[in-house]
């Protein structure tokens, strides 16, 4: 045994040299190479025009792009920018675009439950009714079932938007005033309103304001007060009917199935959080706006059809529900859920429903 002593300084120096040699050997045998990964790129189109998209979708997509940290980028396009709204479903299915935010109804989804998207008459009273129906009353599973039968498109998530009120150039104070009224509206909502003489009109989003100004249409039955003021339609109409045919628009996110399945799970989770963020933002934005524009910030004169007269519209909606229920077994299940939900809300009383 050697009599030499190893000092603390020698031990540290020798250990450092050994470690450096190990790292050097590893570096020489398996060099580390930094490779730039090409991000996943999606094109997504919303049903909303530019001013509305700033609220209903853009903040969520901006947040997703930031959180994805360069691994995925979603390019957002507004209504009709890449494809017409009525061709939106097919565009996602064919891979022309990768994803969409829309109601099932106006994007012409080829599923029986599409009639319940957008404004199914009197299906909701408040915006919270929509997520409650999807998450706690079984509509989520029914939508997954329906879209599971369609190749190429994956339904991702549903949420609530604003109520459906009339904003018009002519005052509406009775049901008779609806007769002959030409309005921009959604397919199923228009189909129902035609029972009271309303003439539904379909036009590209960007043409609505000019169509009102030229008298081609008399107004809209497309949204509530918040949207009417945000997109500029309050500048070309005069009256706002406080009665509505639905308390909240129901819309969803959709993706091309092949593109969705190619997304890594952690990015899918981030996208789900982005959708939830979008749903939450709309809940408080519309809730604030509907009251604000009716009271302190509105440009339109408010009109109301008396409750006793409006009850005819509500009663007719129940007839319409039964007609839709007869079209398919799945639609019958949805209508029964809506009936059960409405009865539960009535039994619960205030604040769920007021007598």
């Amino acid at each position: 045994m050697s009599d030499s002593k190893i000092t603390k300084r020698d031990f540290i120096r020798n250990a450092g040299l050994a470690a450096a040699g190990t790292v050097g050997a590893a570096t020489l045998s398996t060099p580390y190479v930094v490779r730039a990964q090409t991000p996943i790129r999606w094109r997504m189109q919303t049903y909303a025009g530019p001013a509305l998209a700033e609220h209903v979708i853009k903040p969520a997509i901006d947040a997703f792009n930031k959180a994805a940290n360069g691994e995925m980028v979603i390019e957002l396009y507004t209504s009709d920018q890449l494809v017409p709204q009525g061709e939106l479903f097919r565009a996602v299915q064919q891979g022309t675009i990768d994803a969409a935010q829309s109601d099932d109804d106006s994007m012409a989804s080829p599923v029986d439950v599409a009639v319940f998207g957008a404004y199914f008459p009197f299906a909701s009273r408040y915006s919270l009714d929509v997520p409650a129906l999807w998450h706690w009353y079984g509509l989520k599973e029914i939508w997954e079932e329906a879209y599971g039968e369609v190749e190429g498109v994956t339904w991702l998530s549903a949420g609530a938007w604003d109520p459906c009120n009339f904003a018009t150039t002519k005052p509406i104070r009775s049901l008779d005033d609806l007769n002959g009224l030409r309005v921009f509206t959604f397919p199923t909502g228009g189909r129902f309103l035609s029972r009271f003489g309303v003439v539904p009109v379909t036009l590209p989003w960007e043409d609505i304001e000019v169509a009102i100004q030229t008298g081609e249409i008399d107004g809209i039955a497309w949204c509530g007060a918040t949207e009417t003021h945000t997109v500029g339609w309050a500048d070309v109409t005069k009256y706002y009917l406080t009665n509505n045919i639905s308390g909240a628009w129901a819309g969803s996110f959709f993706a091309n199935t092949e593109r969705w399945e190619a997304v890594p799970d952690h990015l899918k989770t981030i996208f789900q959080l982005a959708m939830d963020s979008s749903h939450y933002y709309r809940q408080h934005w519309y809730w604030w706006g509907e009251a604000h524009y009716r009271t302190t910030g509105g440009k339109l004169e408010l009109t109301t059809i008396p409750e006793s007269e409006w009850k005819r519209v509500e009663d007719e909606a129940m007839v319409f529900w039964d007609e839709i229920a007869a079209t398919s077994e799945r639609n019958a299940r949805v209508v029964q859920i809506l009936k059960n939900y409405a009865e539960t809300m009535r039994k619960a009383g205030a604040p769920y429903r007021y007598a």
Side-chain angles (χ1 to χ4, degrees), residues 135 157 253 271-281:
H135 290 287
S157 180
F253 288 83
F271 191 70
Q272 181 64 61
L273 292 171
M275 291 187 290
D276 289 344
S277 172
S278 174
H279 295 328
Y280 173 66
Y281 180 95

Side-chain angles (χ1 to χ4, degrees), residues 99-110:
Q101 179 206 41
S102 178
D103 65 284
D104 321 59
D105 197 25
S106 67
M107 72 186 290
S109 290

Side-chain angles (χ1 to χ4, degrees), residues 84-117:
Q85 174 64 19
E87 299 174 15
L88 193 53
F89 183 91
R90 296 299 182 191
V92 175
Q93 189 176 45
Q94 294 166 2
T96 306
I97 59 176
D98 305 292
Q101 179 206 41
S102 178
D103 65 284
D104 321 59
D105 197 25
S106 67
M107 72 186 290
S109 290
V111 294
D112 48 5
V113 296
V115 294
F116 301 104

Side-chain angles (χ1 to χ4, degrees), residues 35-70:
R35 293 184 177 90
Q37 183 179 1
T38 303
I40 299 168
R41 289 194 174 274
W42 271 15
R43 296 196 304 171
M44 179 180 189
Q45 182 171 306
T46 175
Y47 77 99
L52 183 60
E54 287 291 329
H55 289 278
V56 301
I57 183 63
K58 190 175 184 297
I61 297 304
D62 287 346
F64 172 84
N65 286 338
K66 184 176 181 179
N69 199 30

Side-chain angles (χ1 to χ4, degrees), residues 47 134 144 184 276 293 348:
Y47 77 99
W134 256 262
E144 289 173 340
F184 173 58
D276 289 344
Y293 288 113

Side-chain angles (χ1 to χ4, degrees), residues 213-294:
Q213 290 174 307
T214 60
E216 182 181 350
I217 60 176
D218 301 307
I220 58 167
W222 173 273
C223 57
T226 311
E227 221 165 281
T228 300
H229 286 79
T230 299
V231 305
W233 293 336
D235 297 327
V236 294
T237 53
K238 296 180 180 179
Y239 304 96
Y240 183 84
L241 181 66
T242 59
N243 312 78
N244 62 55
I245 66 162
S246 181
W249 189 79
S252 295
F253 288 83
F254 305 84
N256 175 275
T257 299
E258 184 178 347
R259 308 288 169 74
W260 176 249
E261 291 177 349
V263 174
D265 286 344
H266 70 287
L267 291 177
K268 287 180 179 177
T269 298
I270 295 173
F271 191 70
Q272 181 64 61
L273 292 171
M275 291 187 290
D276 289 344
S277 172
S278 174
H279 295 328
Y280 173 66
Y281 180 95
R282 293 190 312 273
Q283 285 281 341
H284 60 76
W285 181 58
Y286 280 122
W287 188 255
W288 160 80
E290 296 310 301
H292 171 73
Y293 288 113
R294 285 192 186 198

Side-chain angles (χ1 to χ4, degrees), residues 286-317:
Y286 280 122
W287 188 255
W288 160 80
E290 296 310 301
H292 171 73
Y293 288 113
R294 285 192 186 198
T295 55
T296 61
K299 300 177 180 179
L300 304 176
E301 180 182 335
L302 304 182
T303 64
T304 302
I305 295 176
E307 286 187 21
S308 57
E309 192 175 355
W310 188 249
K311 190 176 184 303
R312 286 174 48 197
V313 183
E314 295 179 348
D315 291 344
E316 186 62 28

